[in-house]
Amino acid sequence: DTGVSQDPRHKITKRGQNVTFRCDPISEHNRLYWYRQTLGQGPEFLTYFQNEAQLEKSRLLSDRFSAERPKGSFSTLEIQRTEQGDSAMYLCASSHIAGVGQGEQFFGPGTRLTVL
Amino acid sequence: AQSVSQHNHHVILSEAASLELGCNYSYGGTVNLFWYVQYPGQHLQLLLKYFSGDPLVKGIKGFEAEFIKSKFSFNLRKPSVQWSDTAEYFCAVIPYSGAGSYQLTFGKGTKLSVIP
């Protein structure tokens, strides 16, 4: 399967613990995005990378959140000192931008985080 | 900033009924428009997209959508639904260029239940 993959698929943690999620995009895609989806809502943008550069962060991304994409390949999203409000599905997507206009974003299966 | 409104939270139809799901967006410039679908237990998949040209776009599985620029609408249609169309449907918009032209903005989704 050459789609976007995410690991782990489920994570249960206790409040105050740190968690890290991984996303492997489609190999030729130069853009990578993180979104968060809570119950009854559509996905909400968190941040995106073009190659290894993090170009934009949403105000939803508090100081406890950090994302990296070393070498422009896979990405990690870390949440420090988790809170119950962080419970959500974290989605990763990737796309290829070759010029003007926006390419289709391909989504991974998500990581469902439950903070107890 | 852009926003997306989906008119129906939950739609219940019998097989063979026709479907129309409403989507309106708010943005002052040129946009690209998408409908994504999430089948039970699966990840978000692209159903169809509009970038430019013919405002009536056809997607997979017999779905189509019409972009009406004057109404800022991008409604999804299918003449005859099947039980396998049971899923959640998300309308999304992305600015063609400029600020925010990297993030999809989603509506809250419409859950479609098709009764055999």
Side-chain angles (χ1 to χ4, degrees), chain A residues 9 31 33 35 37 40-45 48 55-56 58 89 91 100-110, chain B residues 9 32 34 36 38 41-46 49 51 88 90 94-97 101-109:
Chain A
R9 296 289 303 276
R31 281 193 178 179
Y33 313 79
Y35 291 81
Q37 185 176 16
Q41 302 293 322
E44 296 173 291
F45 171 80
Y48 98 105
L55 297 186
E56 191 63 36
S58 161
M89 177 75 87
L91 298 170
V100 182
Q102 304 310 313
E104 169 189 343
Q105 293 184 24
F106 294 81
F107 282 81
Chain B
H9 186 60
N32 293 337
F34 304 83
Y36 280 85
Q38 188 165 27
Q42 295 187 29
H43 59 278
L44 276 169
Q45 302 170 42
L46 184 71
K49 61 190 177 188
F51 284 1
E88 191 155 18
F90 293 93
I94 192 167
Y96 180 78
S97 63
S101 61
Y102 41 79
Q103 63 177 90
L104 283 166
T105 298
F106 287 85
K108 291 187 176 183

Side-chain angles (χ1 to χ4, degrees), chain B residues 15-113:
Chain B
E15 273 193 318
S18 64
L19 170 71
E20 180 159 3
L21 301 182
C23 172
N24 286 88
Y25 69 93
S26 170
Y27 184 72
T30 303
V31 294
N32 293 337
L33 295 151
F34 304 83
W35 277 96
Y36 280 85
V37 60
Q38 188 165 27
Y39 297 103
Q42 295 187 29
H43 59 278
L44 276 169
Q45 302 170 42
L46 184 71
L47 200 55
L48 49 78
K49 61 190 177 188
Y50 173 79
F51 284 1
S52 64
D54 189 345
L56 185 63
V57 292
K58 295 191 184 300
I60 60 172
K61 303 187 180 185
F63 285 91
E64 65 178 31
E66 185 176 13
F67 171 49
I68 303 179
K69 190 175 180 181
S70 61
K71 294 185 178 181
F72 298 89
S73 70
F74 190 55
N75 292 353
L76 180 71
R77 299 195 291 251
K78 186 172 184 179
S80 176
V81 295
Q82 300 173 315
W83 177 79
S84 58
D85 294 324
T86 295
E88 191 155 18
Y89 293 81
F90 293 93
C91 181
V93 63
I94 192 167
Y96 180 78
S97 63
S101 61
Y102 41 79
Q103 63 177 90
L104 283 166
T105 298
F106 287 85
K108 291 187 176 183
T110 297
K111 195 165 292 188
L112 172 66
S113 299

Side-chain angles (χ1 to χ4, degrees), chain A:
Chain A
D1 190 322
T2 56
V4 178
S5 62
Q6 293 186 245
D7 184 69
R9 296 289 303 276
H10 303 273
K11 179 71 178 179
I12 300 173
T13 191
K14 292 182 179 179
R15 189 177 54 187
Q17 297 295 304
N18 298 344
V19 294
T20 300
F21 311 140
R22 177 181 170 122
C23 170
D24 287 90
I26 294 171
S27 59
E28 64 268 25
H29 286 183
N30 54 5
R31 281 193 178 179
L32 184 147
Y33 313 79
W34 286 98
Y35 291 81
R36 181 172 69 186
Q37 185 176 16
T38 53
L39 203 60
Q41 302 293 322
E44 296 173 291
F45 171 80
L46 292 179
T47 188
Y48 98 105
F49 294 81
Q50 182 152 318
N51 300 312
E52 66 275 10
Q54 186 175 18
L55 297 186
E56 191 63 36
K57 294 195 296 186
S58 161
R59 281 173 287 181
L60 291 176
L61 217 62
S62 75
D63 291 345
R64 297 183 297 104
F65 288 71
S66 62
E68 294 182 341
R69 193 184 182 197
K71 303 177 183 177
S73 55
F74 71 92
S75 175
T76 58
L77 178 67
E78 181 183 15
I79 309 174
Q80 296 182 323
R81 304 180 306 280
T82 52
E83 302 172 356
Q84 287 182 325
D86 298 331
S87 295
M89 177 75 87
Y90 289 85
L91 298 170
C92 178
S94 69
S95 70
H96 180 66
I97 302 296
V100 182
Q102 304 310 313
E104 169 189 343
Q105 293 184 24
F106 294 81
F107 282 81
T111 295
R112 182 168 296 284
L113 173 66
T114 303
V115 182
L116 301 175

